[in-house]
Amino acid sequence: MSSNGSAANSAVAIGARSGELLARVAEGDQSAFAELYDLMASRVLGSIRRLLLDSAQSEEVAQEVFLEVWQSAPTFDAQRGSAAGWIITMAKRRAIDRIRASQSAHDRDIRIGTRDLQPVDDVAETAEIAVERERADRAMQSLSDVQRQVIALAYDGGYSHSEISELLQVPIGTVKTRLRDGMIRLRTEMGVSA
């Protein structure tokens, strides 16, 4: 038999076995998960490495993939494809997400670095801060007294929800509601989208 024939037979065997194992994983079978990991780990890692190149990041993404396999196994639909294909697709998507996140962080760092290199107009910046502070003060005045109090304790005072609950002698749910409603009102007053 040719090497192409044996490779095809091997792929079919892996596909069939991975489907059986994934069905058991969907039922919470840990030993099936361990066997599925052993069967697919090198293929998953290889797919990720081809995209990321970095070994440490590739291994990290592979771990994320297998965690997702464990958590998402019940959602797998064998009518839409093979279990092995589903896992490899998941690995490639995770690797691409990592590339995008890395590129986004790099772009953000460049923007911040460029901004930091530009000369700062202290007078304009001070004026802008003063205008924004004035807008925030006006917006705070539109809140009810209890909303203003909870927001001040949380953001200016740095208190947690439970600490505010104790300070004001009100249930924690009330604190959370006042804080949420106050923040929605502040966003609306300042023209900020949520």
mmCIF file of all heavy atoms in Angstrom, residues 102-150:
data_model
loop_
_atom_site.group_PDB
_atom_site.id
_atom_site.type_symbol
_atom_site.label_atom_id
_atom_site.label_comp_id
_atom_site.label_asym_id
_atom_site.label_seq_id
_atom_site.Cartn_x
_atom_site.Cartn_y
_atom_site.Cartn_z
ATOM 1 N N SER A 102 -2.430 40.194 19.484
ATOM 2 C CA SER A 102 -1.041 40.624 19.547
ATOM 3 C C SER A 102 -0.810 41.843 18.652
ATOM 4 O O SER A 102 -0.150 42.805 19.049
ATOM 5 C CB SER A 102 -0.130 39.472 19.136
ATOM 6 O OG SER A 102 1.207 39.872 19.146
ATOM 7 N N GLN A 103 -1.378 41.797 17.449
ATOM 8 C CA GLN A 103 -1.237 42.930 16.528
ATOM 9 C C GLN A 103 -1.922 44.169 17.074
ATOM 10 O O GLN A 103 -1.393 45.275 16.995
ATOM 11 C CB GLN A 103 -1.820 42.576 15.143
ATOM 12 C CG GLN A 103 -1.614 43.662 14.104
ATOM 13 C CD GLN A 103 -0.144 43.943 13.840
ATOM 14 O OE1 GLN A 103 0.641 43.032 13.649
ATOM 15 N NE2 GLN A 103 0.240 45.199 13.825
ATOM 16 N N SER A 104 -3.086 43.970 17.670
ATOM 17 C CA SER A 104 -3.818 45.095 18.254
ATOM 18 C C SER A 104 -3.025 45.732 19.401
ATOM 19 O O SER A 104 -2.925 46.955 19.496
ATOM 20 C CB SER A 104 -5.172 44.609 18.766
ATOM 21 O OG SER A 104 -5.879 45.646 19.368
ATOM 22 N N ALA A 105 -2.438 44.892 20.247
ATOM 23 C CA ALA A 105 -1.625 45.409 21.355
ATOM 24 C C ALA A 105 -0.406 46.150 20.820
ATOM 25 O O ALA A 105 -0.036 47.211 21.333
ATOM 26 C CB ALA A 105 -1.191 44.263 22.270
ATOM 27 N N HIS A 106 0.201 45.594 19.777
ATOM 28 C CA HIS A 106 1.366 46.244 19.163
ATOM 29 C C HIS A 106 0.971 47.609 18.588
ATOM 30 O O HIS A 106 1.663 48.607 18.811
ATOM 31 C CB HIS A 106 1.940 45.340 18.071
ATOM 32 C CG HIS A 106 3.058 45.968 17.300
ATOM 33 N ND1 HIS A 106 4.313 46.135 17.834
ATOM 34 C CD2 HIS A 106 3.106 46.494 16.046
ATOM 35 C CE1 HIS A 106 5.091 46.736 16.938
ATOM 36 N NE2 HIS A 106 4.372 46.956 15.849
ATOM 37 N N ASP A 107 -0.135 47.646 17.864
ATOM 38 C CA ASP A 107 -0.607 48.911 17.289
ATOM 39 C C ASP A 107 -0.915 49.942 18.373
ATOM 40 O O ASP A 107 -0.588 51.117 18.247
ATOM 41 C CB ASP A 107 -1.857 48.689 16.428
ATOM 42 C CG ASP A 107 -1.573 47.878 15.177
ATOM 43 O OD1 ASP A 107 -0.380 47.676 14.849
ATOM 44 O OD2 ASP A 107 -2.548 47.429 14.546
ATOM 45 N N ARG A 108 -1.538 49.475 19.472
ATOM 46 C CA ARG A 108 -1.861 50.370 20.586
ATOM 47 C C ARG A 108 -0.574 50.924 21.203
ATOM 48 O O ARG A 108 -0.470 52.117 21.492
ATOM 49 C CB ARG A 108 -2.695 49.623 21.622
ATOM 50 C CG ARG A 108 -3.167 50.488 22.756
ATOM 51 C CD ARG A 108 -4.053 49.733 23.749
ATOM 52 N NE ARG A 108 -3.429 48.521 24.255
ATOM 53 C CZ ARG A 108 -3.806 47.284 23.953
ATOM 54 N NH1 ARG A 108 -4.820 47.073 23.147
ATOM 55 N NH2 ARG A 108 -3.179 46.239 24.455
ATOM 56 N N ASP A 109 0.418 50.059 21.389
ATOM 57 C CA ASP A 109 1.694 50.511 21.953
ATOM 58 C C ASP A 109 2.348 51.563 21.059
ATOM 59 O O ASP A 109 2.918 52.543 21.551
ATOM 60 C CB ASP A 109 2.644 49.335 22.156
ATOM 61 C CG ASP A 109 2.211 48.405 23.281
ATOM 62 O OD1 ASP A 109 1.342 48.811 24.079
ATOM 63 O OD2 ASP A 109 2.745 47.284 23.341
ATOM 64 N N ILE A 110 2.269 51.357 19.746
ATOM 65 C CA ILE A 110 2.836 52.327 18.804
ATOM 66 C C ILE A 110 2.103 53.661 18.925
ATOM 67 O O ILE A 110 2.730 54.723 18.978
ATOM 68 C CB ILE A 110 2.745 51.798 17.346
ATOM 69 C CG1 ILE A 110 3.614 50.547 17.174
ATOM 70 C CG2 ILE A 110 3.110 52.873 16.337
ATOM 71 C CD1 ILE A 110 5.098 50.786 17.290
ATOM 72 N N ARG A 111 0.767 53.606 18.971
ATOM 73 C CA ARG A 111 -0.013 54.850 19.094
ATOM 74 C C ARG A 111 0.342 55.601 20.375
ATOM 75 O O ARG A 111 0.535 56.804 20.375
ATOM 76 C CB ARG A 111 -1.513 54.556 19.069
ATOM 77 C CG ARG A 111 -2.101 54.354 17.706
ATOM 78 C CD ARG A 111 -3.625 54.401 17.721
ATOM 79 N NE ARG A 111 -4.240 53.618 18.771
ATOM 80 C CZ ARG A 111 -4.529 52.314 18.711
ATOM 81 N NH1 ARG A 111 -4.235 51.642 17.619
ATOM 82 N NH2 ARG A 111 -5.095 51.701 19.717
ATOM 83 N N ILE A 112 0.426 54.860 21.476
ATOM 84 C CA ILE A 112 0.733 55.493 22.762
ATOM 85 C C ILE A 112 2.146 56.051 22.744
ATOM 86 O O ILE A 112 2.394 57.171 23.188
ATOM 87 C CB ILE A 112 0.542 54.495 23.919
ATOM 88 C CG1 ILE A 112 -0.946 54.211 24.094
ATOM 89 C CG2 ILE A 112 1.137 55.024 25.207
ATOM 90 C CD1 ILE A 112 -1.253 53.066 25.040
ATOM 91 N N GLY A 113 3.081 55.278 22.197
ATOM 92 C CA GLY A 113 4.463 55.745 22.110
ATOM 93 C C GLY A 113 4.584 56.987 21.256
ATOM 94 O O GLY A 113 5.290 57.934 21.604
ATOM 95 N N THR A 114 3.866 57.012 20.147
ATOM 96 C CA THR A 114 3.890 58.181 19.263
ATOM 97 C C THR A 114 3.277 59.387 19.962
ATOM 98 O O THR A 114 3.810 60.488 19.890
ATOM 99 C CB THR A 114 3.114 57.874 17.959
ATOM 100 O OG1 THR A 114 3.699 56.739 17.343
ATOM 101 C CG2 THR A 114 3.164 59.046 17.003
ATOM 102 N N ARG A 115 2.161 59.144 20.639
ATOM 103 C CA ARG A 115 1.508 60.236 21.367
ATOM 104 C C ARG A 115 2.434 60.797 22.443
ATOM 105 O O ARG A 115 2.535 62.006 22.633
ATOM 106 C CB ARG A 115 0.208 59.742 22.003
ATOM 107 C CG ARG A 115 -0.570 60.860 22.701
ATOM 108 C CD ARG A 115 -1.648 60.329 23.614
ATOM 109 N NE ARG A 115 -1.016 59.638 24.732
ATOM 110 C CZ ARG A 115 -1.564 58.648 25.407
ATOM 111 N NH1 ARG A 115 -2.730 58.198 25.083
ATOM 112 N NH2 ARG A 115 -0.922 58.083 26.410
ATOM 113 N N ASP A 116 3.134 59.901 23.144
ATOM 114 C CA ASP A 116 4.028 60.348 24.215
ATOM 115 C C ASP A 116 5.220 61.135 23.682
ATOM 116 O O ASP A 116 5.802 61.941 24.406
ATOM 117 C CB ASP A 116 4.525 59.153 25.025
ATOM 118 C CG ASP A 116 3.414 58.534 25.875
ATOM 119 O OD1 ASP A 116 2.348 59.175 26.021
ATOM 120 O OD2 ASP A 116 3.612 57.406 26.366
ATOM 121 N N LEU A 117 5.583 60.924 22.432
ATOM 122 C CA LEU A 117 6.704 61.651 21.845
ATOM 123 C C LEU A 117 6.318 63.046 21.372
ATOM 124 O O LEU A 117 7.164 63.902 21.205
ATOM 125 C CB LEU A 117 7.287 60.869 20.662
ATOM 126 C CG LEU A 117 8.030 59.594 21.030
ATOM 127 C CD1 LEU A 117 8.462 58.864 19.767
ATOM 128 C CD2 LEU A 117 9.239 59.900 21.894
ATOM 129 N N GLN A 118 5.020 63.248 21.148
ATOM 130 C CA GLN A 118 4.579 64.552 20.656
ATOM 131 C C GLN A 118 4.623 65.568 21.795
ATOM 132 O O GLN A 118 4.324 65.247 22.943
ATOM 133 C CB GLN A 118 3.156 64.460 20.101
ATOM 134 C CG GLN A 118 3.074 63.560 18.890
ATOM 135 C CD GLN A 118 1.632 63.301 18.466
ATOM 136 O OE1 GLN A 118 0.697 63.630 19.175
ATOM 137 N NE2 GLN A 118 1.488 62.701 17.305
ATOM 138 N N PRO A 119 5.003 66.812 21.468
ATOM 139 C CA PRO A 119 5.033 67.825 22.522
ATOM 140 C C PRO A 119 3.625 68.069 23.059
ATOM 141 O O PRO A 119 2.656 68.058 22.317
ATOM 142 C CB PRO A 119 5.580 69.068 21.812
ATOM 143 C CG PRO A 119 5.417 68.805 20.360
ATOM 144 C CD PRO A 119 5.377 67.334 20.171
ATOM 145 N N VAL A 120 3.539 68.253 24.358
ATOM 146 C CA VAL A 120 2.249 68.451 25.003
ATOM 147 C C VAL A 120 2.033 69.943 25.241
ATOM 148 O O VAL A 120 2.913 70.638 25.735
ATOM 149 C CB VAL A 120 2.214 67.689 26.353
ATOM 150 C CG1 VAL A 120 0.928 67.946 27.090
ATOM 151 C CG2 VAL A 120 2.419 66.211 26.120
ATOM 152 N N ASP A 121 0.865 70.396 24.876
ATOM 153 C CA ASP A 121 0.475 71.778 25.147
ATOM 154 C C ASP A 121 -0.193 71.770 26.524
ATOM 155 O O ASP A 121 -1.370 71.439 26.653
ATOM 156 C CB ASP A 121 -0.485 72.269 24.053
ATOM 157 C CG ASP A 121 -0.895 73.713 24.249
ATOM 158 O OD1 ASP A 121 -0.561 74.293 25.309
ATOM 159 O OD2 ASP A 121 -1.552 74.258 23.349
ATOM 160 N N ASP A 122 0.603 72.102 27.569
ATOM 161 C CA ASP A 122 0.098 72.024 28.937
ATOM 162 C C ASP A 122 -1.127 72.890 29.162
ATOM 163 O O ASP A 122 -2.047 72.499 29.872
ATOM 164 C CB ASP A 122 1.201 72.418 29.935
ATOM 165 C CG ASP A 122 2.293 71.357 30.026
ATOM 166 O OD1 ASP A 122 2.000 70.192 29.711
ATOM 167 O OD2 ASP A 122 3.423 71.713 30.405
ATOM 168 N N VAL A 123 -1.165 74.050 28.573
ATOM 169 C CA VAL A 123 -2.294 74.963 28.771
ATOM 170 C C VAL A 123 -3.563 74.344 28.174
ATOM 171 O O VAL A 123 -4.614 74.311 28.820
ATOM 172 C CB VAL A 123 -2.008 76.348 28.138
ATOM 173 C CG1 VAL A 123 -3.226 77.235 28.212
ATOM 174 C CG2 VAL A 123 -0.814 76.994 28.827
ATOM 175 N N ALA A 124 -3.471 73.833 26.956
ATOM 176 C CA ALA A 124 -4.633 73.226 26.304
ATOM 177 C C ALA A 124 -5.092 71.985 27.063
ATOM 178 O O ALA A 124 -6.293 71.763 27.250
ATOM 179 C CB ALA A 124 -4.305 72.877 24.858
ATOM 180 N N GLU A 125 -4.138 71.175 27.504
ATOM 181 C CA GLU A 125 -4.494 69.963 28.236
ATOM 182 C C GLU A 125 -5.171 70.309 29.561
ATOM 183 O O GLU A 125 -6.174 69.707 29.934
ATOM 184 C CB GLU A 125 -3.246 69.118 28.488
ATOM 185 C CG GLU A 125 -3.558 67.775 29.100
ATOM 186 C CD GLU A 125 -2.333 66.889 29.237
ATOM 187 O OE1 GLU A 125 -1.270 67.209 28.698
ATOM 188 O OE2 GLU A 125 -2.466 65.850 29.908
ATOM 189 N N THR A 126 -4.652 71.300 30.269
ATOM 190 C CA THR A 126 -5.242 71.730 31.534
ATOM 191 C C THR A 126 -6.652 72.266 31.304
ATOM 192 O O THR A 126 -7.578 71.958 32.069
ATOM 193 C CB THR A 126 -4.358 72.808 32.196
ATOM 194 O OG1 THR A 126 -3.058 72.261 32.399
ATOM 195 C CG2 THR A 126 -4.937 73.249 33.525
ATOM 196 N N ALA A 127 -6.835 73.031 30.247
ATOM 197 C CA ALA A 127 -8.160 73.575 29.933
ATOM 198 C C ALA A 127 -9.135 72.456 29.596
ATOM 199 O O ALA A 127 -10.292 72.458 30.038
ATOM 200 C CB ALA A 127 -8.063 74.560 28.774
ATOM 201 N N GLU A 128 -8.666 71.485 28.821
ATOM 202 C CA GLU A 128 -9.524 70.354 28.445
ATOM 203 C C GLU A 128 -9.944 69.554 29.674
ATOM 204 O O GLU A 128 -11.108 69.159 29.808
ATOM 205 C CB GLU A 128 -8.777 69.456 27.459
ATOM 206 C CG GLU A 128 -9.623 68.359 26.870
ATOM 207 C CD GLU A 128 -8.857 67.549 25.834
ATOM 208 O OE1 GLU A 128 -7.984 68.105 25.138
ATOM 209 O OE2 GLU A 128 -9.147 66.346 25.741
ATOM 210 N N ILE A 129 -9.023 69.341 30.583
ATOM 211 C CA ILE A 129 -9.327 68.609 31.814
ATOM 212 C C ILE A 129 -10.347 69.379 32.643
ATOM 213 O O ILE A 129 -11.297 68.807 33.184
ATOM 214 C CB ILE A 129 -8.047 68.321 32.623
ATOM 215 C CG1 ILE A 129 -7.203 67.284 31.880
ATOM 216 C CG2 ILE A 129 -8.365 67.853 34.037
ATOM 217 C CD1 ILE A 129 -5.802 67.087 32.436
ATOM 218 N N ALA A 130 -10.171 70.694 32.731
ATOM 219 C CA ALA A 130 -11.102 71.524 33.496
ATOM 220 C C ALA A 130 -12.508 71.472 32.894
ATOM 221 O O ALA A 130 -13.507 71.367 33.625
ATOM 222 C CB ALA A 130 -10.599 72.969 33.547
ATOM 223 N N VAL A 131 -12.603 71.509 31.572
ATOM 224 C CA VAL A 131 -13.909 71.454 30.907
ATOM 225 C C VAL A 131 -14.569 70.104 31.166
ATOM 226 O O VAL A 131 -15.764 70.029 31.473
ATOM 227 C CB VAL A 131 -13.763 71.731 29.385
ATOM 228 C CG1 VAL A 131 -15.022 71.380 28.635
ATOM 229 C CG2 VAL A 131 -13.376 73.186 29.154
ATOM 230 N N GLU A 132 -13.806 69.024 31.062
ATOM 231 C CA GLU A 132 -14.353 67.689 31.295
ATOM 232 C C GLU A 132 -14.789 67.534 32.756
ATOM 233 O O GLU A 132 -15.812 66.919 33.041
ATOM 234 C CB GLU A 132 -13.335 66.604 30.928
ATOM 235 C CG GLU A 132 -13.187 66.387 29.441
ATOM 236 C CD GLU A 132 -14.489 65.984 28.756
ATOM 237 O OE1 GLU A 132 -15.178 65.064 29.250
ATOM 238 O OE2 GLU A 132 -14.828 66.612 27.746
ATOM 239 N N ARG A 133 -14.011 68.076 33.662
ATOM 240 C CA ARG A 133 -14.374 67.996 35.087
ATOM 241 C C ARG A 133 -15.676 68.754 35.347
ATOM 242 O O ARG A 133 -16.538 68.287 36.093
ATOM 243 C CB ARG A 133 -13.225 68.559 35.945
ATOM 244 C CG ARG A 133 -13.476 68.496 37.421
ATOM 245 C CD ARG A 133 -13.561 67.071 37.882
ATOM 246 N NE ARG A 133 -14.035 67.030 39.257
ATOM 247 C CZ ARG A 133 -14.187 65.953 39.945
ATOM 248 N NH1 ARG A 133 -13.890 64.793 39.429
ATOM 249 N NH2 ARG A 133 -14.633 65.987 41.172
ATOM 250 N N GLU A 134 -15.816 69.900 34.699
ATOM 251 C CA GLU A 134 -17.038 70.699 34.847
ATOM 252 C C GLU A 134 -18.245 69.929 34.299
ATOM 253 O O GLU A 134 -19.311 69.913 34.913
ATOM 254 C CB GLU A 134 -16.880 72.035 34.110
ATOM 255 C CG GLU A 134 -17.970 73.030 34.414
ATOM 256 C CD GLU A 134 -17.691 74.371 33.753
ATOM 257 O OE1 GLU A 134 -16.583 74.910 33.946
ATOM 258 O OE2 GLU A 134 -18.587 74.844 33.036
ATOM 259 N N ARG A 135 -18.070 69.271 33.154
ATOM 260 C CA ARG A 135 -19.154 68.451 32.582
ATOM 261 C C ARG A 135 -19.530 67.321 33.541
ATOM 262 O O ARG A 135 -20.704 67.022 33.739
ATOM 263 C CB ARG A 135 -18.716 67.836 31.248
ATOM 264 C CG ARG A 135 -18.789 68.756 30.077
ATOM 265 C CD ARG A 135 -18.437 68.054 28.765
ATOM 266 N NE ARG A 135 -19.430 67.035 28.436
ATOM 267 C CZ ARG A 135 -19.153 65.895 27.831
ATOM 268 N NH1 ARG A 135 -17.928 65.595 27.485
ATOM 269 N NH2 ARG A 135 -20.109 65.028 27.563
ATOM 270 N N ALA A 136 -18.517 66.688 34.115
ATOM 271 C CA ALA A 136 -18.773 65.586 35.047
ATOM 272 C C ALA A 136 -19.500 66.088 36.298
ATOM 273 O O ALA A 136 -20.433 65.439 36.779
ATOM 274 C CB ALA A 136 -17.466 64.904 35.437
ATOM 275 N N ASP A 137 -19.098 67.251 36.807
ATOM 276 C CA ASP A 137 -19.767 67.825 37.980
ATOM 277 C C ASP A 137 -21.235 68.125 37.677
ATOM 278 O O ASP A 137 -22.115 67.848 38.495
ATOM 279 C CB ASP A 137 -19.047 69.089 38.450
ATOM 280 C CG ASP A 137 -17.710 68.791 39.113
ATOM 281 O OD1 ASP A 137 -17.485 67.625 39.514
ATOM 282 O OD2 ASP A 137 -16.876 69.712 39.208
ATOM 283 N N ARG A 138 -21.496 68.706 36.484
ATOM 284 C CA ARG A 138 -22.892 68.998 36.092
ATOM 285 C C ARG A 138 -23.695 67.707 35.979
ATOM 286 O O ARG A 138 -24.839 67.628 36.420
ATOM 287 C CB ARG A 138 -22.943 69.759 34.766
ATOM 288 C CG ARG A 138 -22.746 71.253 34.911
ATOM 289 C CD ARG A 138 -23.167 72.022 33.662
ATOM 290 N NE ARG A 138 -22.641 71.490 32.416
ATOM 291 C CZ ARG A 138 -21.495 71.844 31.842
ATOM 292 N NH1 ARG A 138 -20.739 72.758 32.404
ATOM 293 N NH2 ARG A 138 -21.103 71.300 30.710
ATOM 294 N N ALA A 139 -23.090 66.702 35.404
ATOM 295 C CA ALA A 139 -23.775 65.417 35.254
ATOM 296 C C ALA A 139 -24.062 64.802 36.625
ATOM 297 O O ALA A 139 -25.134 64.238 36.846
ATOM 298 C CB ALA A 139 -22.939 64.463 34.401
ATOM 299 N N MET A 140 -23.119 64.913 37.550
ATOM 300 C CA MET A 140 -23.325 64.389 38.902
ATOM 301 C C MET A 140 -24.499 65.085 39.585
ATOM 302 O O MET A 140 -25.235 64.462 40.339
ATOM 303 C CB MET A 140 -22.055 64.559 39.757
ATOM 304 C CG MET A 140 -20.949 63.580 39.460
ATOM 305 S SD MET A 140 -21.299 61.896 39.958
ATOM 306 C CE MET A 140 -21.075 62.005 41.724
ATOM 307 N N GLN A 141 -24.681 66.376 39.314
ATOM 308 C CA GLN A 141 -25.776 67.120 39.924
ATOM 309 C C GLN A 141 -27.143 66.634 39.435
ATOM 310 O O GLN A 141 -28.149 66.836 40.103
ATOM 311 C CB GLN A 141 -25.620 68.620 39.659
ATOM 312 C CG GLN A 141 -24.396 69.248 40.315
ATOM 313 C CD GLN A 141 -24.303 68.921 41.803
ATOM 314 O OE1 GLN A 141 -25.261 69.067 42.550
ATOM 315 N NE2 GLN A 141 -23.133 68.451 42.228
ATOM 316 N N SER A 142 -27.173 65.976 38.269
ATOM 317 C CA SER A 142 -28.449 65.479 37.743
ATOM 318 C C SER A 142 -28.888 64.189 38.446
ATOM 319 O O SER A 142 -30.019 63.750 38.269
ATOM 320 C CB SER A 142 -28.328 65.218 36.234
ATOM 321 O OG SER A 142 -27.536 64.078 35.992
ATOM 322 N N LEU A 143 -28.000 63.587 39.236
ATOM 323 C CA LEU A 143 -28.319 62.340 39.928
ATOM 324 C C LEU A 143 -29.106 62.609 41.202
ATOM 325 O O LEU A 143 -29.043 63.703 41.785
ATOM 326 C CB LEU A 143 -27.030 61.602 40.299
ATOM 327 C CG LEU A 143 -26.081 61.226 39.172
ATOM 328 C CD1 LEU A 143 -24.847 60.556 39.744
ATOM 329 C CD2 LEU A 143 -26.764 60.333 38.162
ATOM 330 N N SER A 144 -29.798 61.587 41.660
ATOM 331 C CA SER A 144 -30.460 61.705 42.970
ATOM 332 C C SER A 144 -29.365 61.699 44.039
ATOM 333 O O SER A 144 -28.234 61.267 43.789
ATOM 334 C CB SER A 144 -31.416 60.537 43.180
ATOM 335 O OG SER A 144 -30.687 59.328 43.339
ATOM 336 N N ASP A 145 -29.715 62.143 45.232
ATOM 337 C CA ASP A 145 -28.738 62.192 46.322
ATOM 338 C C ASP A 145 -28.170 60.797 46.626
ATOM 339 O O ASP A 145 -26.967 60.655 46.844
ATOM 340 C CB ASP A 145 -29.368 62.782 47.589
ATOM 341 C CG ASP A 145 -29.647 64.269 47.456
ATOM 342 O OD1 ASP A 145 -29.002 64.929 46.607
ATOM 343 O OD2 ASP A 145 -30.511 64.783 48.203
ATOM 344 N N VAL A 146 -29.028 59.764 46.621
ATOM 345 C CA VAL A 146 -28.551 58.424 46.962
ATOM 346 C C VAL A 146 -27.647 57.868 45.868
ATOM 347 O O VAL A 146 -26.665 57.190 46.167
ATOM 348 C CB VAL A 146 -29.730 57.454 47.254
ATOM 349 C CG1 VAL A 146 -30.424 57.831 48.545
ATOM 350 C CG2 VAL A 146 -30.694 57.360 46.112
ATOM 351 N N GLN A 147 -27.941 58.168 44.599
ATOM 352 C CA GLN A 147 -27.066 57.719 43.509
ATOM 353 C C GLN A 147 -25.713 58.414 43.599
ATOM 354 O O GLN A 147 -24.669 57.782 43.459
ATOM 355 C CB GLN A 147 -27.710 58.013 42.150
ATOM 356 C CG GLN A 147 -28.899 57.145 41.820
ATOM 357 C CD GLN A 147 -29.620 57.606 40.564
ATOM 358 O OE1 GLN A 147 -29.514 58.759 40.153
ATOM 359 N NE2 GLN A 147 -30.382 56.696 39.966
ATOM 360 N N ARG A 148 -25.737 59.722 43.837
ATOM 361 C CA ARG A 148 -24.501 60.505 43.934
ATOM 362 C C ARG A 148 -23.646 59.986 45.096
ATOM 363 O O ARG A 148 -22.436 59.834 44.976
ATOM 364 C CB ARG A 148 -24.862 61.986 44.124
ATOM 365 C CG ARG A 148 -23.711 62.920 43.934
ATOM 366 C CD ARG A 148 -24.067 64.407 43.899
ATOM 367 N NE ARG A 148 -25.219 64.841 44.652
ATOM 368 C CZ ARG A 148 -26.409 65.140 44.114
ATOM 369 N NH1 ARG A 148 -26.602 65.040 42.822
ATOM 370 N NH2 ARG A 148 -27.414 65.541 44.870
ATOM 371 N N GLN A 149 -24.301 59.666 46.210
ATOM 372 C CA GLN A 149 -23.591 59.179 47.386
ATOM 373 C C GLN A 149 -22.907 57.834 47.102
ATOM 374 O O GLN A 149 -21.730 57.645 47.418
ATOM 375 C CB GLN A 149 -24.585 59.033 48.545
ATOM 376 C CG GLN A 149 -23.952 58.591 49.836
ATOM 377 C CD GLN A 149 -24.991 58.418 50.938
ATOM 378 O OE1 GLN A 149 -26.124 58.018 50.683
ATOM 379 N NE2 GLN A 149 -24.598 58.719 52.171
ATOM 380 N N VAL A 150 -23.630 56.912 46.477
ATOM 381 C CA VAL A 150 -23.073 55.588 46.188
ATOM 382 C C VAL A 150 -21.925 55.702 45.188
ATOM 383 O O VAL A 150 -20.878 55.069 45.349
ATOM 384 C CB VAL A 150 -24.181 54.639 45.673
ATOM 385 C CG1 VAL A 150 -23.590 53.348 45.142
ATOM 386 C CG2 VAL A 150 -25.176 54.337 46.769
#
